[in-house]
Amino acid sequence: AQKVTQAQTEISVVEKEDVTLDCVYETRDTTYYLFWYKQPPSGELVFLIRRNSFDEQNEISGRYSWNFQKSTSSFNFTITASQVVDSAVYFCALSEAQYNFNKFYFGSGTKLNVKP
Amino acid sequence: GAVVSQHPSRVICKSGTSVKIECRSLDFQATTMFWYRQFPKQSLMLMATSNEGSKATYEQGVEKDKFLINHASLTLSTLTVTSAHPEDSSFYICSARGLGTTSGFFGPGTRLTVL
């Protein structure tokens, strides 16, 4: 079974629209980290956020916000007032204490297209 | 934040040749380095984990004789794709982790094209 599921393969929005990228994870570990990365066409992974399993407080960083809900094993990512520069593939990832946080399990990614 | 570099950023080679990719941690000592592979329009898959001075641990399905990993120092790991074939064409990304940290820092990736 997939450890990290990003059901949305591709999303297209018009600039200034809000968009939410879904991430559902599966783990038996009580201690784990969740991540979001942005991958522009150049391929480099850009770190966006890390959240540990004991911190369910939602976070906002500028136009970005994250909603972590352990009850539904979800860690969704919302971009408010999207911009063309937000176009990229976004990956959600999980690392677990049982592997000493060494293994990163990545979701399949969501390609976001923001049109002007 | 911590910086990880990879060299080369892009390489094209003929089938049957070997290609070496370097991963360096520039401002910290990387006790553990990880190699990922990403096929076009797919996700990143962990290939192997290497600790400085010891043999790499390969994930299931990854041929250790084909993908040679050396982690000879705390700032350098190399991945050698031996006898490369077109199906090895992929984006290879390394990640490095320092002592006492729980996050990996990713390199910019190396795009390998085997003709």
Side-chain angles (χ1 to χ4, degrees), chain B:
Chain B
V3 179
V4 176
S5 72
Q6 279 184 243
H7 178 79
S9 58
R10 185 182 295 267
V11 58
I12 301 172
C13 69
K14 292 183 179 179
S15 185
T17 60
S18 293
V19 175
K20 180 185 285 188
I21 302 170
E22 292 185 349
C23 175
R24 292 181 186 273
S25 57
L26 298 184
D27 54 358
F28 68 103
Q29 293 186 324
T31 50
T32 310
M33 285 187 168
F34 311 87
W35 288 95
Y36 291 82
R37 179 169 54 183
Q38 184 182 28
F39 291 110
K41 297 187 179 181
Q42 292 190 27
S43 189
L44 288 81
M45 298 298 293
L46 180 65
M47 298 174 66
T49 301
S50 73
N51 293 296
E52 186 263 339
S54 61
K55 289 184 178 180
T57 303
Y58 290 80
E59 295 298 300
Q60 195 171 11
V62 178
E63 300 173 57
K64 60 180 67 176
D65 294 331
K66 182 170 183 61
F67 299 98
L68 302 179
I69 292 172
N70 184 282
H71 191 166
S73 78
L74 285 172
T75 58
L76 173 65
S77 175
T78 60
L79 166 68
T80 301
V81 183
T82 62
S83 187
H85 288 97
E87 57 264 31
D88 298 322
S89 297
S90 185
F91 193 57
Y92 292 87
I93 303 177
C94 73
S95 171
R97 178 177 165 185
L99 193 63
T101 66
T102 53
S103 292
F105 301 98
F106 288 87
T110 297
R111 196 168 300 280
L112 170 63
T113 302
V114 184
L115 302 176

Side-chain angles (χ1 to χ4, degrees), chain A residues 37-107:
Chain A
Y37 288 89
K38 175 182 180 180
Q39 188 178 45
S42 63
E44 185 167 357
L45 284 177
V46 178
F47 169 83
L48 297 178
I49 190 171
R50 181 185 77 170
R51 174 65 84 228
N52 76 56
S53 53
F54 300 107
D55 183 4
E56 282 194 78
Q57 193 170 9
N58 291 330
E59 182 157 336
I60 298 175
S61 177
R63 295 185 297 108
Y64 296 168
S65 62
W66 291 269
N67 186 338
F68 177 27
Q69 292 196 343
K70 288 177 76 171
S71 61
T72 55
S73 297
S74 65
F75 187 43
N76 297 336
F77 172 34
T78 297
I79 300 175
T80 303
S82 59
Q83 300 176 1
V84 173
V85 293
D86 295 327
S87 297
V89 179
Y90 290 84
F91 289 98
C92 179
L94 163 75
S95 70
E96 301 165 301
Q98 64 170 316
Y99 298 113
N100 201 25
F101 306 109
N102 278 338
K103 290 188 179 185
F104 272 58
Y105 294 96
F106 284 86

